Amino acid sequence: MARAGAGLTARAGAGLTGRARVGWSLAALVPLAFLGVFFAWPVLAIVGLGLDEGGVLPALADPATWDLVAFTLGQAAAATALALLAGMPVAFLLARCRVPGAAVVRAAVMVPFVLPTVVVGLAFRALWPDGGVLPIVLANAFFNVAVVARTVGGLWARVDRRAEDAARALGASRLRAFTSVVLPALAPAVGSAASVVFLFCATSFGVVLVLGGARHRTLETEIYLRTVELFDLSGAAALSLLQFAAVLAALLLGAVARRRRESGLRLRVEPPRRPSGGEWAVVAAAWAVVLALLTPVVGLLIRSVSAVDGWSLAGYRALAGTGERGTLAVSGLDAAVNSVRVATDATLLALAVGVLSAVVLVGLRRTGSWFAEALDTALMLPLGVSAVTVGFGYLITMDALPGDLRTSPVLVPLAQALVVTPLVVRIVLPVLRAVDTRLRQAAAALGASPWRVWREVDFPLAARSLLAAAGFGFVVALGEFGATSFLARPDAPTLPVVIARLMSRPGELNSQMAYAACALLMVVTAVAVLLVERLRVPSGGEF
């Protein structure tokens, strides 16, 4: 009888799990529908258009195409290696050290990650006026030190010190203990960070556009050139297919690393302590990285108040106008207001889709569904597909929807929300996953509906991460340049589009206005990052 009762209980539990799996899978249709309509459909339309023209195979057979692939992957690999090298000391400082100024370091490394790409390009152009391969690699690494520091640091704070201390007690040097004990434990986080950094570097647009010019082009900038200026859709489709293959490979490697990292998150929590001995050298290296990250920022701020005849605020004053000889269709201040409005709309949309996606992923993983990993990977895809491809795809597909969205002001927020949504998921998902299941079970046992469980249990615990995701998403949307540069109308540009337009036109005043607008965006970004850091749940999220 006992065995029969146990069997009935097991079958009942399996039935409940099966129904829950079906319920969560149905809920996943909402974010999948968003991705399908506003991402997969436009991208497939562009690729299909290129395939119909029959020029994809000749483009793939062209040696110049593979030169582009080699340069894209080469500069991405170099930038990834440099970001790892620079980010590891910062990760150690944030994870293991109790030193004054740690909060400043955490904010300082995050500012570059959320700066608009065109701003970073101009910051490095102020240091290297002629551009080139080295500034491209340095700028892409500059962007991504935060990814390494936060991703690796989050796991490093949980690596049990006792194994390292035991290795030291047996006579191992600090370096030997690190390479033999600590580094293998950190390998999942290092692999996850490397895949994400490589993804960002391989699809970098604004940096390569500003610093590479016509001499150095990547797949992303070449897709832009062939789509917008040459209207070579078959060539652009071929390059998009190659880029998509590289992105998918990076995402799959990142997914594998994340799965290994999640098991590592259950390790012992280690409080930070004061450095000793050779650890101070690592702390010094971390501070040197922070100073190096601040150098382009300071250089850009100085350039924004510089003129041919000395110091000047002419660029800031000129933002109230339309530039030299009417370069802009609207004033710089109008563009700033439009940027804030568009970024707000994009953030609200991304929060709605991203939070729902995170809730669904948590539910699917509790039921053991294989669909969770597939959905997680699908949500990351917009980060790695050419924004130009998505933008041009909008223009040839959105007329099929009611209201012809091609002429609608919601088109730019939709494109920006695609970029922000994966970041919202990565911030919110670990926090929701960390909520104790017993709290939910207790609330459900007391009669609470699933919605009330979310409202009374999950939401209060995740509220700070939601606010942090909103602030983080806002500054990312504020600086989005790839798709926005293609979709923004001349009478409603965003500030990054205005900056690029000013820098492409001659005139000292236009240049001063561009650097002044960059400085304003940088200040807004820095303030937002500081607010996000105050709201951030410790070790809650990957960014």
Side-chain angles (χ1 to χ4, degrees):
M1 290 292 292
R3 285 197 297 271
L8 289 173
T9 302
R11 284 194 293 273
L16 288 173
T17 300
R19 287 195 294 272
R21 186 180 296 124
V22 172
W24 287 118
S25 297
L26 291 175
L29 294 178
V30 176
L32 283 176
F34 176 77
L35 286 177
V37 174
F38 297 111
F39 173 67
W41 180 27
V43 171
L44 292 176
I46 285 293
V47 174
L49 200 59
L51 291 172
D52 288 343
E53 294 186 359
V56 170
L57 290 179
L60 292 177
D62 186 354
T65 298
W66 297 102
D67 290 340
L68 279 172
V69 172
F71 179 73
T72 300
L73 300 182
Q75 63 85 25
T80 301
L82 186 58
L84 286 172
L85 185 64
M88 290 297 286
V90 180
F92 173 78
L93 188 152
L94 297 179
R96 286 294 182 90
C97 298
R98 189 177 69 250
V99 294
V104 175
V105 173
R106 183 174 283 108
V109 298
M110 279 303 297
V111 169
F113 180 70
V114 293
L115 280 177
T117 57
V118 67
V119 172
V120 174
L122 286 179
F124 278 83
R125 184 168 163 177
L127 300 175
W128 281 277
D130 297 330
V133 177
L134 178 61
I136 289 174
V137 171
L138 291 175
N140 280 330
F142 169 88
F143 257 122
N144 292 294
V145 168
V147 177
V148 178
R150 298 292 284 265
T151 304
V152 177
L155 180 57
W156 207 335
R158 289 164 169 78
V159 172
D160 195 338
R161 290 180 186 268
R162 291 175 296 184
E164 183 182 1
D165 292 340
R168 293 296 312 281
L170 292 172
S173 64
R174 287 188 184 276
L175 180 61
R176 179 71 182 275
F178 173 77
T179 56
S180 302
V181 178
V182 180
L183 190 57
L186 296 178
V190 173
S192 177
S195 66
V196 173
V197 171
F198 185 85
L199 174 68
F200 288 152
C201 294
T203 57
S204 177
F205 178 63
V207 165
V208 181
L209 195 67
V210 173
L211 296 173
R215 293 176 300 157
H216 306 291
R217 298 195 301 272
T218 60
L219 287 172
E220 183 81 358
T221 57
E222 185 70 11
I223 291 170
Y224 177 83
L225 173 67
R226 297 196 184 196
T227 304
V228 177
E229 298 185 16
L230 303 179
F231 207 69
D232 176 15
L233 294 184
S234 58
L239 298 181
S240 295
L241 289 173
L242 290 173
Q243 187 183 54
F244 185 78
V247 165
L248 189 60
L251 287 176
L252 291 175
L253 290 174
V256 172
R258 275 199 305 275
R259 281 201 301 271
R260 293 178 62 194
R261 180 170 176 248
E262 285 171 7
S263 65
L265 288 175
R266 291 189 286 270
L267 296 174
R268 171 189 173 99
V269 175
E270 292 287 349
R273 65 189 184 191
R274 186 175 174 81
S276 62
E279 292 178 342
W280 282 108
V282 182
V283 172
W287 276 104
V289 170
V290 172
L291 293 177
L293 293 176
L294 292 177
T295 300
V297 173
V298 173
L300 189 146
L301 292 175
I302 293 174
R303 181 64 180 83
S304 72
V305 293
S306 301
V308 176
D309 53 353
W311 303 110
S312 173
L313 295 175
Y316 291 91
R317 290 192 293 266
L319 288 174
T322 58
E324 196 167 317
R325 299 178 183 177
T327 297
L328 306 175
V330 299
S331 71
L333 294 181
D334 288 337
V337 171
N338 185 58
S339 292
V340 171
R341 182 171 58 248
V342 170
T344 301
D345 293 341
T347 302
L348 292 175
L349 178 58
L351 279 175
V353 178
V355 173
L356 175 61
S357 301
V359 172
V360 170
L361 285 170
V362 171
L364 286 172
R365 282 175 175 167
R366 286 204 186 98
T367 63
S369 174
W370 62 268
F371 186 51
E373 199 60 57
L375 177 61
D376 198 357
T377 301
L379 289 166
M380 287 290 287
L381 282 176
L383 288 179
V385 174
S386 169
V388 176
T389 301
V390 176
F392 194 73
Y394 278 4
L395 297 183
I396 66 172
T397 57
M398 293 295 108
D399 60 322
L401 296 179
D404 191 358
L405 291 182
R406 294 180 302 176
T407 59
S408 172
V410 306
L411 204 57
V412 174
L414 280 170
Q416 293 182 355
L418 273 176
V419 177
V420 175
T421 297
L423 303 179
V424 171
V425 173
R426 296 266 71 83
I427 292 173
V428 176
L429 179 60
V431 178
L432 290 180
R433 196 184 298 132
V435 176
D436 195 337
T437 306
R438 292 172 295 182
L439 295 176
R440 292 192 183 94
Q441 293 171 343
L446 293 173
S449 65
W451 164 245
R452 189 170 183 185
V453 171
W454 157 256
R455 190 183 64 201
E456 302 289 344
V457 177
D458 293 273
F459 180 75
L461 294 173
R464 289 181 63 185
S465 70
L466 294 177
L467 290 173
F472 193 68
F474 177 79
V475 293
V476 171
L478 192 67
E480 204 283 325
F481 178 65
T484 306
S485 65
F486 194 78
L487 297 172
R489 297 177 301 184
D491 61 338
T494 61
L495 210 51
V497 173
V498 162
I499 292 169
R501 193 165 298 164
L502 288 169
M503 290 303 299
S504 67
R505 303 293 177 86
E508 174 64 18
L509 185 62
N510 286 340
S511 178
Q512 288 178 303
M513 283 181 66
Y515 279 105
C518 285
L520 290 179
L521 271 178
M522 190 178 295
V523 170
V524 171
T525 298
V527 171
V529 167
L530 290 173
L531 291 175
V532 168
E533 282 301 317
R534 291 187 64 87
L535 295 168
R536 187 181 68 90
V537 178
S539 302
E542 294 185 28
F543 295 108

